[in-house]
Amino acid sequence: MSEELNTYEQERRAKLQKLRELGIDPFGQRTTGLTPLAQVRSQHKPDFGQDGGPVFRVAGRIGLKRDMGKLSFLTIRDDTGDLQIALDRKRLDAADPQFWEVRNLLDLGDQITAEGPLGATKTGEPTVWAISLALASKALLPPPAKWEGLTDVEARYRQRYVDLFANPEVMRLAKTRIRIVDEIRAFLKARGFEEVETPMLQLIHGGAAARPFKTHHNALDLPLFLRIAPELFLKRLLVGGMPKVFEINRNFRNEGISPRHNPEFTMLEAYEAYGSWETMADLVEEMICTVAEKVIGTLKITHRRGGEDAEKVIDLSRPWPRVSMSDLVEQRTGWRFRKRTLEEESAATIARVCAAIVHGMESRYHTDSRGATLNDVAAMIESTPDSMVARFIENTKLRLFGMRPEEQLVEVYEKAIEPTLINPTFVTRVPGVIIPLARRCRDDDYFADVYELAINGQEISPGYTELNDPDIQSAQFRQQVGDREEQQQVDEDFLTALKYGMPPAGGMGMGIDRLIMMLTGAESIRDVVLFPLMRPVGDERRETRDERGDERRETRDEREEGGAS
């Protein structure tokens, strides 16, 4: 603790002791009949005069304090807004002289309760003229220097409890998140979906390709994993005869941290018997539009960066396009995917694919040249072969050339195409080997019968026509690609459940945190999670690659974090 802060605390503790000597409880007691501050302000009328309105009992934290002899003005704040309280010694002494003693021992950040008639000052400011005053909680540490709130980003995330009362916009965003989740629940329940709960401690980590957190149950002497996805348990409920189920769940993945990833995050997953990816796409499209209209009030979502003028507008107007992954790649890069490696294409095609990856990553990470077109990037690479971008191109080429055709297609899509998809787009026909829990397309079993919904340059939701053939499912569990440590484990009990018969079904997942980022314009997942994971204060270890956000893991995780994966 700094010497200055220690001095502040000592001064406040001295006042705390004086309050106790006066027989005043500095940490308050139960109080009933409180009215939210915004509601009090809304009931003010000009004809109340100075103090002719109804009497209200209010509570809040002191943000401003002005003393003028026998009159003081406090601005207090609760979760609904601010309100001015007038402390007039004559009024307070008439009720109880001790009230004025309390006034003399108040500091910024203290929480108080007050009661009095509603009126206004000479300037017309709605004001409660207190006839009683009590401390609810004496603050031993001062609030941020400015009432506008914390400005240090790291401090904001670490001390969200201060951030919430000091920054009204943070409180507004937290409440918007609550409303969005409530509307999602209401939407699904109105359409016959039933909310369920599935285990967070699991013997096998399944339902996604991700590195799990490991733990141990002492009494049973069992190694366990924190849930990475609820999918396999929700599908067991379809086997059991529940036709429409959903869960808004917490998932845990022991992987990187980035502006789009937190190791603990919230997902929605929903499954419908006798559905398909098309029915789930219809559901998701209607749900997001309904939530946007009810909570945000518009289908045109404006995103700004750092208080700048409008950077971009996301248009959620329906219908949303549905385009295959290979078609999107061809439209953007000229590479027509023929299920063969990129190395077999012309040098011009390879160069354009690599330039598209550079351009896409510039779009995602907001580099200084984010306004450049794909042709600008290609021309720059050709004119400056020794540039850092050109060297990055060579590294990209080397990485791509080590992949199988289906991995190349997905890599090019994730790096070059997805960051440019600002308005909603359902990306369909993803290589099946990437998604072992989905059915293959009937007309070409190379591809999975799925969608990946991209909005604002990132995946928001995947949806599947679910695989319900136990023999094919068993085979696909064993034919996965990618990091072996992160491949889905073979869940024999799930395969047993499928052998009892699961109806054809559609399934979808949605990253709630990312949805809220998209709808509110938040730039980082830490802005929409109340308590994001942070290094402990004083931990001076050098930032790891995972904390910076591994690019390949980020894009792969986007497919998994949607849920039905």
Side-chain angles (χ1 to χ4, degrees), residues 437-465:
L437 291 166
R439 275 196 184 189
R440 302 296 177 94
C441 294
R442 290 187 176 183
D443 61 338
D444 187 346
D445 66 5
Y446 188 89
F447 298 102
D449 204 24
V450 301
Y451 76 74
E452 293 185 6
L453 172 61
I455 310 178
N456 192 31
Q458 61 183 352
E459 185 182 347
I460 296 294
S461 165
Y464 298 173
T465 300

PDB file of all heavy atoms in Angstrom, residues 437-465:
ATOM      1  N   LEU A 437     -18.538 -34.441 -34.458  1.00  0.00           N
ATOM      2  CA  LEU A 437     -19.859 -34.695 -33.877  1.00  0.00           C
ATOM      3  C   LEU A 437     -21.007 -34.350 -34.819  1.00  0.00           C
ATOM      4  O   LEU A 437     -22.170 -34.455 -34.437  1.00  0.00           O
ATOM      5  CB  LEU A 437     -20.014 -33.906 -32.567  1.00  0.00           C
ATOM      6  CG  LEU A 437     -19.133 -34.408 -31.408  1.00  0.00           C
ATOM      7  CD1 LEU A 437     -19.096 -33.395 -30.290  1.00  0.00           C
ATOM      8  CD2 LEU A 437     -19.637 -35.743 -30.894  1.00  0.00           C
ATOM      9  N   ALA A 438     -20.692 -33.929 -36.033  1.00  0.00           N
ATOM     10  CA  ALA A 438     -21.733 -33.529 -36.985  1.00  0.00           C
ATOM     11  C   ALA A 438     -21.906 -34.572 -38.087  1.00  0.00           C
ATOM     12  O   ALA A 438     -20.980 -35.319 -38.419  1.00  0.00           O
ATOM     13  CB  ALA A 438     -21.385 -32.176 -37.601  1.00  0.00           C
ATOM     14  N   ARG A 439     -23.101 -34.593 -38.671  1.00  0.00           N
ATOM     15  CA  ARG A 439     -23.361 -35.438 -39.842  1.00  0.00           C
ATOM     16  C   ARG A 439     -22.627 -34.881 -41.052  1.00  0.00           C
ATOM     17  O   ARG A 439     -22.395 -33.676 -41.161  1.00  0.00           O
ATOM     18  CB  ARG A 439     -24.856 -35.470 -40.157  1.00  0.00           C
ATOM     19  CG  ARG A 439     -25.641 -36.492 -39.380  1.00  0.00           C
ATOM     20  CD  ARG A 439     -26.992 -36.692 -40.061  1.00  0.00           C
ATOM     21  NE  ARG A 439     -27.831 -37.594 -39.299  1.00  0.00           N
ATOM     22  CZ  ARG A 439     -28.986 -38.076 -39.743  1.00  0.00           C
ATOM     23  NH1 ARG A 439     -29.429 -37.716 -40.935  1.00  0.00           N
ATOM     24  NH2 ARG A 439     -29.695 -38.895 -39.000  1.00  0.00           N
ATOM     25  N   ARG A 440     -22.319 -35.758 -41.981  1.00  0.00           N
ATOM     26  CA  ARG A 440     -21.746 -35.318 -43.255  1.00  0.00           C
ATOM     27  C   ARG A 440     -22.879 -34.950 -44.217  1.00  0.00           C
ATOM     28  O   ARG A 440     -24.017 -35.429 -44.089  1.00  0.00           O
ATOM     29  CB  ARG A 440     -20.882 -36.428 -43.859  1.00  0.00           C
ATOM     30  CG  ARG A 440     -19.726 -36.886 -42.958  1.00  0.00           C
ATOM     31  CD  ARG A 440     -18.707 -35.786 -42.702  1.00  0.00           C
ATOM     32  NE  ARG A 440     -17.651 -36.201 -41.784  1.00  0.00           N
ATOM     33  CZ  ARG A 440     -16.480 -36.705 -42.174  1.00  0.00           C
ATOM     34  NH1 ARG A 440     -16.217 -36.884 -43.463  1.00  0.00           N
ATOM     35  NH2 ARG A 440     -15.573 -37.023 -41.263  1.00  0.00           N
ATOM     36  N   CYS A 441     -22.541 -34.098 -45.178  1.00  0.00           N
ATOM     37  CA  CYS A 441     -23.520 -33.714 -46.202  1.00  0.00           C
ATOM     38  C   CYS A 441     -23.896 -34.936 -47.037  1.00  0.00           C
ATOM     39  O   CYS A 441     -23.036 -35.758 -47.382  1.00  0.00           O
ATOM     40  CB  CYS A 441     -22.947 -32.620 -47.103  1.00  0.00           C
ATOM     41  SG  CYS A 441     -22.645 -31.050 -46.259  1.00  0.00           S
ATOM     42  N   ARG A 442     -25.159 -35.048 -47.385  1.00  0.00           N
ATOM     43  CA  ARG A 442     -25.622 -36.205 -48.147  1.00  0.00           C
ATOM     44  C   ARG A 442     -25.022 -36.243 -49.545  1.00  0.00           C
ATOM     45  O   ARG A 442     -24.750 -37.313 -50.085  1.00  0.00           O
ATOM     46  CB  ARG A 442     -27.148 -36.192 -48.242  1.00  0.00           C
ATOM     47  CG  ARG A 442     -27.843 -36.489 -46.922  1.00  0.00           C
ATOM     48  CD  ARG A 442     -29.332 -36.634 -47.128  1.00  0.00           C
ATOM     49  NE  ARG A 442     -30.018 -37.022 -45.886  1.00  0.00           N
ATOM     50  CZ  ARG A 442     -31.309 -37.270 -45.800  1.00  0.00           C
ATOM     51  NH1 ARG A 442     -32.065 -37.177 -46.889  1.00  0.00           N
ATOM     52  NH2 ARG A 442     -31.854 -37.606 -44.651  1.00  0.00           N
ATOM     53  N   ASP A 443     -24.823 -35.055 -50.153  1.00  0.00           N
ATOM     54  CA  ASP A 443     -24.336 -35.027 -51.531  1.00  0.00           C
ATOM     55  C   ASP A 443     -22.816 -35.101 -51.620  1.00  0.00           C
ATOM     56  O   ASP A 443     -22.260 -35.310 -52.702  1.00  0.00           O
ATOM     57  CB  ASP A 443     -24.836 -33.771 -52.247  1.00  0.00           C
ATOM     58  CG  ASP A 443     -24.351 -32.494 -51.592  1.00  0.00           C
ATOM     59  OD1 ASP A 443     -23.991 -32.535 -50.398  1.00  0.00           O
ATOM     60  OD2 ASP A 443     -24.328 -31.450 -52.282  1.00  0.00           O
ATOM     61  N   ASP A 444     -22.101 -34.924 -50.493  1.00  0.00           N
ATOM     62  CA  ASP A 444     -20.640 -34.980 -50.511  1.00  0.00           C
ATOM     63  C   ASP A 444     -20.160 -35.144 -49.075  1.00  0.00           C
ATOM     64  O   ASP A 444     -20.101 -34.166 -48.317  1.00  0.00           O
ATOM     65  CB  ASP A 444     -20.064 -33.703 -51.128  1.00  0.00           C
ATOM     66  CG  ASP A 444     -18.549 -33.798 -51.328  1.00  0.00           C
ATOM     67  OD1 ASP A 444     -17.930 -34.719 -50.763  1.00  0.00           O
ATOM     68  OD2 ASP A 444     -17.997 -32.944 -52.049  1.00  0.00           O
ATOM     69  N   ASP A 445     -19.802 -36.364 -48.705  1.00  0.00           N
ATOM     70  CA  ASP A 445     -19.465 -36.615 -47.303  1.00  0.00           C
ATOM     71  C   ASP A 445     -18.085 -36.084 -46.919  1.00  0.00           C
ATOM     72  O   ASP A 445     -17.626 -36.311 -45.797  1.00  0.00           O
ATOM     73  CB  ASP A 445     -19.597 -38.099 -46.963  1.00  0.00           C
ATOM     74  CG  ASP A 445     -18.598 -38.980 -47.696  1.00  0.00           C
ATOM     75  OD1 ASP A 445     -17.729 -38.435 -48.415  1.00  0.00           O
ATOM     76  OD2 ASP A 445     -18.682 -40.207 -47.543  1.00  0.00           O
ATOM     77  N   TYR A 446     -17.425 -35.362 -47.793  1.00  0.00           N
ATOM     78  CA  TYR A 446     -16.197 -34.669 -47.422  1.00  0.00           C
ATOM     79  C   TYR A 446     -16.512 -33.512 -46.472  1.00  0.00           C
ATOM     80  O   TYR A 446     -15.669 -33.127 -45.657  1.00  0.00           O
ATOM     81  CB  TYR A 446     -15.512 -34.135 -48.684  1.00  0.00           C
ATOM     82  CG  TYR A 446     -14.134 -33.549 -48.472  1.00  0.00           C
ATOM     83  CD1 TYR A 446     -12.993 -34.352 -48.532  1.00  0.00           C
ATOM     84  CD2 TYR A 446     -13.964 -32.187 -48.226  1.00  0.00           C
ATOM     85  CE1 TYR A 446     -11.724 -33.821 -48.347  1.00  0.00           C
ATOM     86  CE2 TYR A 446     -12.695 -31.643 -48.044  1.00  0.00           C
ATOM     87  CZ  TYR A 446     -11.589 -32.466 -48.098  1.00  0.00           C
ATOM     88  OH  TYR A 446     -10.328 -31.936 -47.916  1.00  0.00           O
ATOM     89  N   PHE A 447     -17.722 -32.969 -46.620  1.00  0.00           N
ATOM     90  CA  PHE A 447     -18.123 -31.790 -45.849  1.00  0.00           C
ATOM     91  C   PHE A 447     -19.154 -32.151 -44.789  1.00  0.00           C
ATOM     92  O   PHE A 447     -19.955 -33.075 -44.973  1.00  0.00           O
ATOM     93  CB  PHE A 447     -18.692 -30.710 -46.767  1.00  0.00           C
ATOM     94  CG  PHE A 447     -17.706 -30.194 -47.781  1.00  0.00           C
ATOM     95  CD1 PHE A 447     -17.768 -30.616 -49.099  1.00  0.00           C
ATOM     96  CD2 PHE A 447     -16.720 -29.297 -47.410  1.00  0.00           C
ATOM     97  CE1 PHE A 447     -16.864 -30.142 -50.040  1.00  0.00           C
ATOM     98  CE2 PHE A 447     -15.804 -28.828 -48.336  1.00  0.00           C
ATOM     99  CZ  PHE A 447     -15.868 -29.247 -49.657  1.00  0.00           C
ATOM    100  N   ALA A 448     -19.135 -31.403 -43.688  1.00  0.00           N
ATOM    101  CA  ALA A 448     -20.113 -31.588 -42.619  1.00  0.00           C
ATOM    102  C   ALA A 448     -21.333 -30.711 -42.877  1.00  0.00           C
ATOM    103  O   ALA A 448     -21.236 -29.611 -43.435  1.00  0.00           O
ATOM    104  CB  ALA A 448     -19.502 -31.228 -41.268  1.00  0.00           C
ATOM    105  N   ASP A 449     -22.494 -31.214 -42.441  1.00  0.00           N
ATOM    106  CA  ASP A 449     -23.769 -30.533 -42.641  1.00  0.00           C
ATOM    107  C   ASP A 449     -23.977 -29.544 -41.489  1.00  0.00           C
ATOM    108  O   ASP A 449     -24.735 -29.793 -40.555  1.00  0.00           O
ATOM    109  CB  ASP A 449     -24.886 -31.590 -42.662  1.00  0.00           C
ATOM    110  CG  ASP A 449     -26.116 -31.114 -43.408  1.00  0.00           C
ATOM    111  OD1 ASP A 449     -25.997 -30.226 -44.267  1.00  0.00           O
ATOM    112  OD2 ASP A 449     -27.213 -31.636 -43.116  1.00  0.00           O
ATOM    113  N   VAL A 450     -23.273 -28.409 -41.583  1.00  0.00           N
ATOM    114  CA  VAL A 450     -23.214 -27.485 -40.453  1.00  0.00           C
ATOM    115  C   VAL A 450     -23.264 -26.039 -40.947  1.00  0.00           C
ATOM    116  O   VAL A 450     -23.177 -25.767 -42.139  1.00  0.00           O
ATOM    117  CB  VAL A 450     -21.897 -27.672 -39.655  1.00  0.00           C
ATOM    118  CG1 VAL A 450     -21.777 -29.096 -39.138  1.00  0.00           C
ATOM    119  CG2 VAL A 450     -20.671 -27.296 -40.495  1.00  0.00           C
ATOM    120  N   TYR A 451     -23.371 -25.137 -39.973  1.00  0.00           N
ATOM    121  CA  TYR A 451     -23.110 -23.718 -40.235  1.00  0.00           C
ATOM    122  C   TYR A 451     -22.151 -23.194 -39.186  1.00  0.00           C
ATOM    123  O   TYR A 451     -22.058 -23.715 -38.070  1.00  0.00           O
ATOM    124  CB  TYR A 451     -24.399 -22.886 -40.236  1.00  0.00           C
ATOM    125  CG  TYR A 451     -24.964 -22.589 -38.854  1.00  0.00           C
ATOM    126  CD1 TYR A 451     -24.374 -21.655 -37.995  1.00  0.00           C
ATOM    127  CD2 TYR A 451     -26.118 -23.232 -38.399  1.00  0.00           C
ATOM    128  CE1 TYR A 451     -24.888 -21.402 -36.738  1.00  0.00           C
ATOM    129  CE2 TYR A 451     -26.644 -22.968 -37.145  1.00  0.00           C
ATOM    130  CZ  TYR A 451     -26.020 -22.048 -36.319  1.00  0.00           C
ATOM    131  OH  TYR A 451     -26.531 -21.797 -35.070  1.00  0.00           O
ATOM    132  N   GLU A 452     -21.437 -22.146 -39.543  1.00  0.00           N
ATOM    133  CA  GLU A 452     -20.690 -21.330 -38.589  1.00  0.00           C
ATOM    134  C   GLU A 452     -21.141 -19.892 -38.824  1.00  0.00           C
ATOM    135  O   GLU A 452     -20.932 -19.353 -39.907  1.00  0.00           O
ATOM    136  CB  GLU A 452     -19.182 -21.457 -38.800  1.00  0.00           C
ATOM    137  CG  GLU A 452     -18.624 -22.831 -38.481  1.00  0.00           C
ATOM    138  CD  GLU A 452     -17.101 -22.875 -38.587  1.00  0.00           C
ATOM    139  OE1 GLU A 452     -16.494 -21.803 -38.797  1.00  0.00           O
ATOM    140  OE2 GLU A 452     -16.531 -23.967 -38.457  1.00  0.00           O
ATOM    141  N   LEU A 453     -21.767 -19.294 -37.822  1.00  0.00           N
ATOM    142  CA  LEU A 453     -22.266 -17.929 -37.968  1.00  0.00           C
ATOM    143  C   LEU A 453     -21.166 -16.943 -37.584  1.00  0.00           C
ATOM    144  O   LEU A 453     -20.706 -16.928 -36.443  1.00  0.00           O
ATOM    145  CB  LEU A 453     -23.502 -17.714 -37.088  1.00  0.00           C
ATOM    146  CG  LEU A 453     -24.015 -16.268 -37.011  1.00  0.00           C
ATOM    147  CD1 LEU A 453     -24.422 -15.753 -38.393  1.00  0.00           C
ATOM    148  CD2 LEU A 453     -25.182 -16.170 -36.027  1.00  0.00           C
ATOM    149  N   ALA A 454     -20.768 -16.126 -38.549  1.00  0.00           N
ATOM    150  CA  ALA A 454     -19.762 -15.091 -38.299  1.00  0.00           C
ATOM    151  C   ALA A 454     -20.430 -13.725 -38.296  1.00  0.00           C
ATOM    152  O   ALA A 454     -21.230 -13.407 -39.189  1.00  0.00           O
ATOM    153  CB  ALA A 454     -18.668 -15.139 -39.359  1.00  0.00           C
ATOM    154  N   ILE A 455     -20.135 -12.935 -37.280  1.00  0.00           N
ATOM    155  CA  ILE A 455     -20.583 -11.542 -37.184  1.00  0.00           C
ATOM    156  C   ILE A 455     -19.441 -10.736 -36.580  1.00  0.00           C
ATOM    157  O   ILE A 455     -18.773 -11.186 -35.657  1.00  0.00           O
ATOM    158  CB  ILE A 455     -21.835 -11.376 -36.293  1.00  0.00           C
ATOM    159  CG1 ILE A 455     -22.946 -12.360 -36.660  1.00  0.00           C
ATOM    160  CG2 ILE A 455     -22.367  -9.942 -36.387  1.00  0.00           C
ATOM    161  CD1 ILE A 455     -24.182 -12.255 -35.764  1.00  0.00           C
ATOM    162  N   ASN A 456     -19.224  -9.553 -37.134  1.00  0.00           N
ATOM    163  CA  ASN A 456     -18.187  -8.662 -36.612  1.00  0.00           C
ATOM    164  C   ASN A 456     -16.811  -9.322 -36.659  1.00  0.00           C
ATOM    165  O   ASN A 456     -15.973  -9.123 -35.784  1.00  0.00           O
ATOM    166  CB  ASN A 456     -18.518  -8.218 -35.176  1.00  0.00           C
ATOM    167  CG  ASN A 456     -17.627  -7.077 -34.714  1.00  0.00           C
ATOM    168  OD1 ASN A 456     -17.199  -6.255 -35.516  1.00  0.00           O
ATOM    169  ND2 ASN A 456     -17.336  -7.042 -33.418  1.00  0.00           N
ATOM    170  N   GLY A 457     -16.555 -10.123 -37.670  1.00  0.00           N
ATOM    171  CA  GLY A 457     -15.234 -10.684 -37.878  1.00  0.00           C
ATOM    172  C   GLY A 457     -14.871 -11.837 -36.974  1.00  0.00           C
ATOM    173  O   GLY A 457     -13.698 -12.213 -36.890  1.00  0.00           O
ATOM    174  N   GLN A 458     -15.843 -12.439 -36.289  1.00  0.00           N
ATOM    175  CA  GLN A 458     -15.553 -13.595 -35.454  1.00  0.00           C
ATOM    176  C   GLN A 458     -16.771 -14.509 -35.397  1.00  0.00           C
ATOM    177  O   GLN A 458     -17.890 -14.093 -35.680  1.00  0.00           O
ATOM    178  CB  GLN A 458     -15.155 -13.174 -34.041  1.00  0.00           C
ATOM    179  CG  GLN A 458     -16.219 -12.409 -33.283  1.00  0.00           C
ATOM    180  CD  GLN A 458     -15.720 -11.952 -31.917  1.00  0.00           C
ATOM    181  OE1 GLN A 458     -14.645 -12.324 -31.474  1.00  0.00           O
ATOM    182  NE2 GLN A 458     -16.500 -11.140 -31.241  1.00  0.00           N
ATOM    183  N   GLU A 459     -16.510 -15.768 -35.035  1.00  0.00           N
ATOM    184  CA  GLU A 459     -17.620 -16.708 -34.955  1.00  0.00           C
ATOM    185  C   GLU A 459     -18.437 -16.439 -33.702  1.00  0.00           C
ATOM    186  O   GLU A 459     -17.898 -16.290 -32.610  1.00  0.00           O
ATOM    187  CB  GLU A 459     -17.120 -18.153 -34.940  1.00  0.00           C
ATOM    188  CG  GLU A 459     -18.288 -19.136 -34.971  1.00  0.00           C
ATOM    189  CD  GLU A 459     -17.859 -20.589 -34.920  1.00  0.00           C
ATOM    190  OE1 GLU A 459     -16.660 -20.866 -35.102  1.00  0.00           O
ATOM    191  OE2 GLU A 459     -18.726 -21.437 -34.687  1.00  0.00           O
ATOM    192  N   ILE A 460     -19.740 -16.401 -33.881  1.00  0.00           N
ATOM    193  CA  ILE A 460     -20.675 -16.202 -32.775  1.00  0.00           C
ATOM    194  C   ILE A 460     -21.355 -17.517 -32.412  1.00  0.00           C
ATOM    195  O   ILE A 460     -21.620 -17.800 -31.245  1.00  0.00           O
ATOM    196  CB  ILE A 460     -21.744 -15.153 -33.141  1.00  0.00           C
ATOM    197  CG1 ILE A 460     -21.101 -13.779 -33.362  1.00  0.00           C
ATOM    198  CG2 ILE A 460     -22.822 -15.069 -32.063  1.00  0.00           C
ATOM    199  CD1 ILE A 460     -20.499 -13.174 -32.125  1.00  0.00           C
ATOM    200  N   SER A 461     -21.648 -18.337 -33.433  1.00  0.00           N
ATOM    201  CA  SER A 461     -22.429 -19.546 -33.176  1.00  0.00           C
ATOM    202  C   SER A 461     -22.166 -20.590 -34.247  1.00  0.00           C
ATOM    203  O   SER A 461     -22.188 -20.282 -35.442  1.00  0.00           O
ATOM    204  CB  SER A 461     -23.926 -19.188 -33.161  1.00  0.00           C
ATOM    205  OG  SER A 461     -24.727 -20.350 -33.266  1.00  0.00           O
ATOM    206  N   PRO A 462     -21.926 -21.849 -33.852  1.00  0.00           N
ATOM    207  CA  PRO A 462     -21.984 -22.954 -34.801  1.00  0.00           C
ATOM    208  C   PRO A 462     -23.295 -23.722 -34.628  1.00  0.00           C
ATOM    209  O   PRO A 462     -23.894 -23.721 -33.545  1.00  0.00           O
ATOM    210  CB  PRO A 462     -20.793 -23.822 -34.371  1.00  0.00           C
ATOM    211  CG  PRO A 462     -20.723 -23.627 -32.890  1.00  0.00           C
ATOM    212  CD  PRO A 462     -21.284 -22.258 -32.587  1.00  0.00           C
ATOM    213  N   GLY A 463     -23.729 -24.372 -35.685  1.00  0.00           N
ATOM    214  CA  GLY A 463     -24.917 -25.221 -35.608  1.00  0.00           C
ATOM    215  C   GLY A 463     -24.733 -26.438 -36.485  1.00  0.00           C
ATOM    216  O   GLY A 463     -24.099 -26.364 -37.545  1.00  0.00           O
ATOM    217  N   TYR A 464     -25.278 -27.572 -36.021  1.00  0.00           N
ATOM    218  CA  TYR A 464     -25.044 -28.834 -36.713  1.00  0.00           C
ATOM    219  C   TYR A 464     -26.351 -29.550 -37.012  1.00  0.00           C
ATOM    220  O   TYR A 464     -27.324 -29.425 -36.277  1.00  0.00           O
ATOM    221  CB  TYR A 464     -24.232 -29.804 -35.839  1.00  0.00           C
ATOM    222  CG  TYR A 464     -22.854 -29.364 -35.438  1.00  0.00           C
ATOM    223  CD1 TYR A 464     -22.134 -30.131 -34.523  1.00  0.00           C
ATOM    224  CD2 TYR A 464     -22.254 -28.225 -35.957  1.00  0.00           C
ATOM    225  CE1 TYR A 464     -20.854 -29.766 -34.130  1.00  0.00           C
ATOM    226  CE2 TYR A 464     -20.978 -27.849 -35.567  1.00  0.00           C
ATOM    227  CZ  TYR A 464     -20.285 -28.621 -34.651  1.00  0.00           C
ATOM    228  OH  TYR A 464     -19.029 -28.260 -34.256  1.00  0.00           O
ATOM    229  N   THR A 465     -26.310 -30.339 -38.067  1.00  0.00           N
ATOM    230  CA  THR A 465     -27.182 -31.496 -38.153  1.00  0.00           C
ATOM    231  C   THR A 465     -26.433 -32.586 -37.411  1.00  0.00           C
ATOM    232  O   THR A 465     -25.351 -33.010 -37.830  1.00  0.00           O
ATOM    233  CB  THR A 465     -27.434 -31.904 -39.618  1.00  0.00           C
ATOM    234  OG1 THR A 465     -28.055 -30.817 -40.310  1.00  0.00           O
ATOM    235  CG2 THR A 465     -28.320 -33.140 -39.679  1.00  0.00           C
TER     236      THR A 465
END
